[in-house]
Amino acid sequence: MVYLTSDTHGAFDIHKINPREFIPGQTMTDQDYLVICGDFGCIWDGGSSDRFWMNWFESLPWTTVFIDGNHENFDVLNTFPVVDWKGGRAAQIRKNVFHLLRGEVYDFGGKSWLALGGGFSHDVEFRKQGMNWWNEEIFSREEAEHARMILDERNWKVDVVLSHDVPAAHSLSTKYPVNMDLYSDDRINQIDFLEEIRKKLDYKIWFSGHYHLDSIEILDSRPHCNLFNTVEEVDQLIEQTNQVSQ
């Protein structure tokens, strides 16, 4: 089985995937997966706190995978070795913990999964570059071209999309202003790029996080599920959202 949530933020919101609270986790096995849609936050300074959380994740029976959000330390996150995993390239953190890289497609849990990590920081004015904010939080032109190339190989068809931010058609996309002047010239508007993908891609369901709420929105007859407090099982949510969209 595959369960999804978002925005664990290290110690701040990780309680929702602790098996003491996340009851399905008490019976999950090494054949099961937990997907976190960005702002993982458990890899931050490369020090003792990171080791504590990685030891904890490694002790869990399932495989944890995550896309990056905007509140990540990309200097540390990008130091991990990249391996071939489930049909794509992923950074391996521990034996059962993987960072799903931008633009890659993976096959696990009986489905294909497109990873589109990254998002705009809405609190950037309170952050300092290289300390708690990174230019790399949104897609580069090179990463976007890589995503298009991978999707060409897949005939622009996947089962599930994983993003942290939302595409422009989503109602949340205009909640905060976007200022591209903060970023280097090699970066692109994340929300517009996600919209480009959404319009062209054949997919069943889209998951995101970032906005700290749980919601379901139908975009062109396809469900878009934003996650925060809940931990959802993918097949149950597909069935539920199919009923909503009909």
Side-chain angles (χ1 to χ4, degrees), residues 17-235:
I17 61 171
N18 188 317
R20 287 180 295 183
E21 183 173 328
F22 172 45
I23 303 304
Q26 297 175 8
T27 56
M28 289 170 67
T29 72
D30 60 2
Q31 300 301 304
D32 299 316
Y33 300 86
L34 176 71
V35 178
I36 300 171
C37 294
D39 280 9
F40 181 52
C42 294
I43 297 169
W44 189 257
D45 61 4
S48 59
S49 177
D50 290 7
R51 288 192 295 274
F52 171 85
W53 286 117
M54 291 308 100
N55 288 341
W56 182 74
F57 274 102
E58 193 168 31
S59 75
L60 298 171
W62 63 77
T63 296
T64 299
V65 302
F66 66 94
I67 61 171
D68 50 272
N70 56 300
H71 290 162
E72 317 281 4
N73 184 332
F74 289 94
D75 290 339
V76 177
L77 195 57
N78 293 337
T79 63
F80 290 91
V82 175
V83 300
D84 293 322
W85 187 78
K86 305 295 184 182
R89 301 281 283 168
Q92 184 164 11
I93 314 300
R94 289 292 180 92
K95 67 178 182 180
N96 60 342
V97 182
F98 295 87
H99 171 206
L100 305 185
L101 302 180
R102 296 177 185 177
E104 294 287 328
V105 176
Y106 306 90
D107 297 295
F108 61 89
K111 293 177 176 57
S112 54
W113 306 74
L114 170 63
L116 298 173
F120 288 107
S121 286
H122 307 134
D123 54 356
V124 66
E125 65 271 21
F126 303 111
R127 297 179 175 272
K128 184 176 180 180
Q129 187 165 1
M131 181 177 295
N132 51 19
W133 180 82
W134 283 264
N135 179 69
E136 294 89 344
E137 69 180 12
I138 58 174
F139 258 75
S140 68
R141 298 182 191 280
E142 182 178 356
E143 289 168 338
E145 190 56 39
H146 175 74
R148 296 183 187 104
M149 180 190 71
I150 294 294
L151 289 173
D152 281 342
E153 295 172 357
R154 290 276 185 152
N155 295 315
W156 286 80
K157 184 175 183 178
V158 298
D159 294 315
V160 185
V161 181
L162 304 171
S163 69
H164 185 59
D165 217 326
V166 297
H170 198 284
S171 63
L172 290 171
S173 68
T174 57
K175 185 174 182 180
Y176 301 102
V178 170
N179 182 5
M180 288 301 297
D181 292 340
L182 299 170
Y183 302 90
S184 58
D185 291 341
D186 68 319
R187 299 288 143 177
I188 63 172
N189 187 309
Q190 182 90 11
I191 291 173
D192 288 347
F193 175 66
L194 294 178
E195 180 67 11
E196 172 195 331
I197 298 296
R198 187 194 70 83
K199 287 180 175 179
K200 189 173 180 180
L201 186 66
D202 181 358
Y203 65 93
K204 294 179 181 177
I205 192 168
W206 188 308
F207 292 95
S208 62
H210 194 32
Y211 292 90
H212 294 191
L213 56 82
D214 299 278
S215 67
I216 298 174
E217 190 163 317
I218 305 302
L219 302 177
D220 296 334
S221 302
R222 296 174 295 183
H224 187 123
C225 303
N226 204 78
L227 301 171
F228 181 48
N229 288 311
T230 61
V231 186
E232 303 284 357
E233 198 276 316
V234 63
D235 287 323

